Amino acid sequence: CSPMLLLSAAASSFAWWSSAARELHERGFATLPGRVDTQLVEHMRHASIAELEQQLVEVSAAGCDVLEQQYSFNSICHRQRLRWDVRLSDTPEWHQFRTDALRLVEAGLEQPLRVLMSGVVVSRSGADGQRFHADGNSELLTCFVPLVDIAADSDGTQFWPGSHEDDHGPTLAPTLAWDDARMAEMAAPGCAAGGVLAFDYRVIHRGLPNAGRDRPVAYLVVAPEDDAGLEDALNFPDLRVADARPADVAAFPRWDEID
C-alpha cells in the first residue's frame, strides 16, 4: 500500500496537505511549523501560573485539599497529583493567544476551524507520569502550545504512533501491559515555547514525569467549522467552585484512596 493510499485511508474530517499533515494522519501527532509571538507566550506563561494560584485559593476555600484530593470543577480539574487543567479568564491577551495559535493550525488546512475548548495544563515539579490514555474517541484535534521550551524525550508528551487508527484504543489503553517492546514504539517529540504540537483526539498518549520546574502547556481542542456534530463531552463538569457543597467536596477521593 502506498503512502498516499495510507494517507487517504486515515483521513478524517481534517483536510491536511503538508508533510506535517501526513505525519499527523499516519502517526497521530505532528509538530507544526510556526510559533506564537514570544512576548505573548511569556505573558501567558506568567498569567497561567497566576490564574492557577488564584483558583487554588478558591478551591481551598471551598473545603478541598488542593494537593491531596482529586477534584473536578467547571474551571479547574486536578486529575493527577501536581497536574492541573485550568480554564483561563477571557482576557484580551488570552483571546489573542488563541487566535494566533488557531491561525497556525489553520495554515495547513483547507477549511476553517472552530475551538471547542481551551485552557492550560500546569504540571509542577514532582508530578509523576500519567497513565496512557486517549482524550476521547471523537475525530477532534488537540493542539498543545507549550509556554516553556520542551526538549524531545524529556518532560513533554509521549505518544504511541498510529494508535488513533485502533477503534478500541481508548478502552484498551488502561489494560495493556506496557512492556519494554511496546515502550520502544513510543515517541516524545520536542516543541519550542509557542510552537504547536497537534494530535488526534484518539491517539494514546501520556504526560511524562516533571522535575524541577512548572510546565504550563496551553491547548486548543478544535473541529472543522462546518461539522457541528463533533463535540467534547468528557473533560469538565458543570459544577462551579463557588457552588460546591460539603457533600460535593467529601465525594472527591484522596490520592491515597486511588490505586
Side-chain angles (χ1 to χ4, degrees):
C1 187
S2 71
M4 190 55 66
L5 287 176
L6 285 173
L7 177 61
S8 176
S12 62
S13 302
F14 296 97
W16 294 87
W17 53 265
S18 66
S19 59
R22 185 186 301 274
E23 186 175 0
L24 176 67
H25 279 306
E26 294 180 356
R27 291 166 62 82
F29 59 93
T31 302
L32 307 182
R35 292 174 64 177
V36 176
D37 176 74
T38 300
Q39 289 186 332
L40 184 55
V41 170
E42 182 71 5
H43 174 87
M44 291 312 308
R45 182 173 71 84
H46 292 290
S48 63
I49 298 299
E51 180 89 12
L52 171 63
E53 294 292 352
Q54 177 57 41
Q55 292 208 34
L56 290 181
V57 168
E58 297 170 6
V59 169
S60 178
C64 285
D65 186 322
V66 297
L67 289 179
E68 298 304 330
Q69 269 185 293
Q70 181 188 62
Y71 44 85
S72 293
F73 297 100
N74 73 337
S75 59
I76 183 170
C77 293
H78 191 215
R79 303 187 189 95
Q80 182 185 10
R81 193 174 187 276
L82 295 174
R83 195 185 303 266
W84 290 271
D85 190 349
V86 182
R87 282 180 163 171
L88 301 187
S89 302
D90 196 16
T91 63
E93 293 83 3
W94 180 225
H95 176 78
Q96 187 64 54
F97 182 94
R98 287 179 299 177
T99 298
D100 292 353
L102 185 63
R103 284 174 180 161
L104 289 177
V105 182
E106 287 181 323
L109 295 175
E110 295 178 351
Q111 75 237 31
L113 299 169
R114 60 191 176 97
V115 177
L116 303 183
M117 185 171 65
S118 62
V120 177
V121 174
V122 181
S123 301
R124 291 237 150 121
S125 179
D128 290 334
Q130 292 179 306
R131 294 182 178 181
F132 281 102
H133 64 282
D135 285 344
N137 53 15
S138 299
E139 293 183 355
L140 303 177
L141 195 67
T142 301
C143 303
F144 277 176
V145 187
L147 304 179
V148 294
D149 291 335
I150 296 177
D153 301 313
S154 61
D155 61 354
T157 304
Q158 188 176 54
F159 297 94
W160 188 3
S163 56
H164 61 303
E165 294 184 348
D166 186 342
D167 293 339
H168 302 291
T171 54
L172 280 176
T175 67
L176 291 175
W178 296 98
D179 54 25
D180 290 345
R182 184 167 280 123
M183 289 303 298
E185 301 177 36
M186 304 304 156
C191 190
V196 179
L197 174 61
F199 59 95
D200 192 294
Y201 220 53
R202 301 162 296 177
V203 73
I204 294 173
H205 65 284
R206 65 168 181 158
L208 288 167
N210 190 37
R213 63 171 179 170
D214 286 342
R215 189 184 69 232
V217 176
Y219 66 87
L220 309 176
V221 176
V222 302
E225 190 175 71
D226 59 358
D227 194 335
L230 294 176
E231 298 291 344
D232 171 87
L234 298 175
N235 287 292
F236 283 90
D238 293 329
L239 179 63
R240 300 191 313 149
V241 176
D243 295 335
R245 302 165 300 174
D248 297 320
V249 173
F252 293 132
R254 299 180 67 85
W255 296 118
D256 57 11
E257 299 170 348
I258 301 172
D259 58 37

